[in-house]
Amino acid sequence: MKAMILAAGLGTRLRPLTDDRPKALVEVGGRTLLEITLSRLRKSGVREVIINVHHFADMVVDYLKRNSNFGLRIEISREETLLDTGGGLKKAAWFFLEDSKRRDEPFILHNVDVVSTINLKGMVQFHAEHRALATLAVQERETSRYLLFDQRLQLSGRLSGQAQPAESVRSSADLHAQALAFSGIHVISPLIFSMMTEEGVFSIITSYLRLAAQGENILAFRADEYYWRDLGRLENVAQAERDLKDKIFS
């Protein structure tokens, strides 16, 4: 199975930790975020990974070489200009389309700055069983931006801030759609590359909302029972250290 790790961000909210290193090499419990993510993916059956890089890119490349790519096939997608999640994925499309016999196999897209115990194998199985174009791990928790899903768990809109009106993308959207927080973990079918009309710098969420409006199957995978933490802020890294010591996650 293949995966992509999104690791190109500047990590500005993690300064001063990212003054001399990329956020992928910030450590929690003596292990880098990149190693933690690669380990999780490997345990879930992933054997081939592409990583996008930008900030201190060569440090990531050297780190992987020193560690023999952690026993995986790893490719690097260098971004001279940050392309955001959608642009970054589209630039790496070749990696998922290189083998014509495997173009139907879903892959995992994973932010490097999140740690979780979310069942990735279960998520892939859910994606396959529901024949989804994309499956997003979501939880019921507080966040500044929500995605809206109907009773069939299909993406139906988004909500950015309490003062902003909800944006609905389905004409038959459920009036009681649930606002859920996205975790930064996706399972995606390579078919999406033929549908991504956006160019340059763009968020993958933009593509998801447009495709959902066209009736494509963009689904929620409920991950409320699992540990999850965004490590994009210093205080969250410190909390993850405490959680690790308290064995809340491993």
Side-chain angles (χ1 to χ4, degrees):
M1 191 173 179
K2 292 187 175 184
M4 180 173 185
I5 297 176
L6 296 171
L10 298 176
T12 54
R13 297 177 300 165
L14 285 173
R15 288 175 178 164
L17 295 180
T18 50
D19 284 343
D20 61 355
R21 75 189 71 181
K23 64 180 178 180
L25 300 187
V26 169
E27 294 185 356
V28 173
R31 300 172 70 202
T32 65
L33 298 183
L34 183 55
E35 180 193 353
I36 291 170
T37 305
L38 287 170
S39 177
R40 286 265 295 137
L41 291 171
R42 187 173 59 243
K43 290 178 180 178
S44 300
V46 170
R47 293 295 178 266
E48 301 175 76
V49 180
I50 189 166
I51 305 170
N52 69 340
V53 294
H54 172 77
H55 185 54
F56 292 116
D58 288 338
M59 290 184 68
V60 175
V61 174
D62 292 343
Y63 171 77
L64 291 167
K65 286 182 179 178
R66 290 196 308 272
N67 289 279
S68 302
N69 286 343
F70 295 94
L72 301 166
R73 174 201 171 193
I74 295 183
E75 300 287 346
I76 296 294
S77 179
R78 289 180 178 265
E79 297 182 10
E80 299 304 319
T81 300
L82 285 172
L83 297 175
D84 206 341
T85 52
L89 175 61
K90 189 169 184 176
K91 185 176 188 294
W94 67 269
F95 179 73
F96 302 103
L97 301 176
E98 62 183 350
D99 185 347
S100 60
K101 296 179 181 179
R102 300 177 62 188
R103 290 182 181 177
D104 292 332
E105 293 182 8
F107 61 90
I108 296 171
L109 182 63
H110 199 298
N111 288 4
V112 77
D113 56 358
V114 300
V115 292
S116 81
T117 60
I118 291 173
N119 183 351
L120 299 181
K121 285 185 177 180
M123 191 172 168
V124 172
Q125 183 177 353
F126 175 91
H127 174 89
E129 289 176 350
H130 291 81
R131 298 182 179 180
L133 180 64
T135 301
L136 315 182
V138 297
Q139 296 176 318
E140 188 173 0
R141 54 177 166 77
E142 289 188 8
T143 186
S144 59
R145 292 173 295 179
Y146 293 93
L147 294 178
L148 303 177
F149 295 88
D150 64 21
Q151 292 181 336
R152 295 177 297 171
L153 297 179
Q154 291 187 331
L155 180 65
S156 61
R158 66 178 162 188
L159 179 62
S160 300
Q162 297 297 329
Q164 300 295 322
E167 174 188 351
S168 176
V169 296
R170 288 182 183 269
S171 58
S172 59
D174 186 349
L175 294 177
H176 303 289
Q178 188 166 7
L180 298 168
F182 178 45
S183 72
I185 302 171
H186 333 221
V187 176
I188 306 172
S189 295
L191 180 62
I192 199 170
F193 293 118
S194 66
M195 302 178 180
M196 294 175 76
T197 57
E198 294 80 7
E199 298 288 346
V201 181
F202 66 95
S203 167
I204 189 66
I205 300 300
T206 300
S207 299
Y208 288 157
L209 290 167
R210 176 180 57 80
L211 292 168
Q214 296 172 3
E216 295 296 337
N217 201 18
I218 314 292
L219 292 182
F221 176 80
R222 294 299 299 263
D224 305 284
E225 65 191 277
Y226 301 104
Y227 176 90
W228 178 92
R229 191 167 296 282
D230 171 15
L231 301 186
R233 296 180 182 275
L234 285 172
E235 59 268 28
N236 291 352
V237 173
Q239 184 60 57
E241 290 271 10
R242 293 191 291 270
D243 293 345
L244 189 61
K245 290 178 180 178
D246 294 337
K247 298 183 179 180
I248 295 175
F249 81 101
S250 61

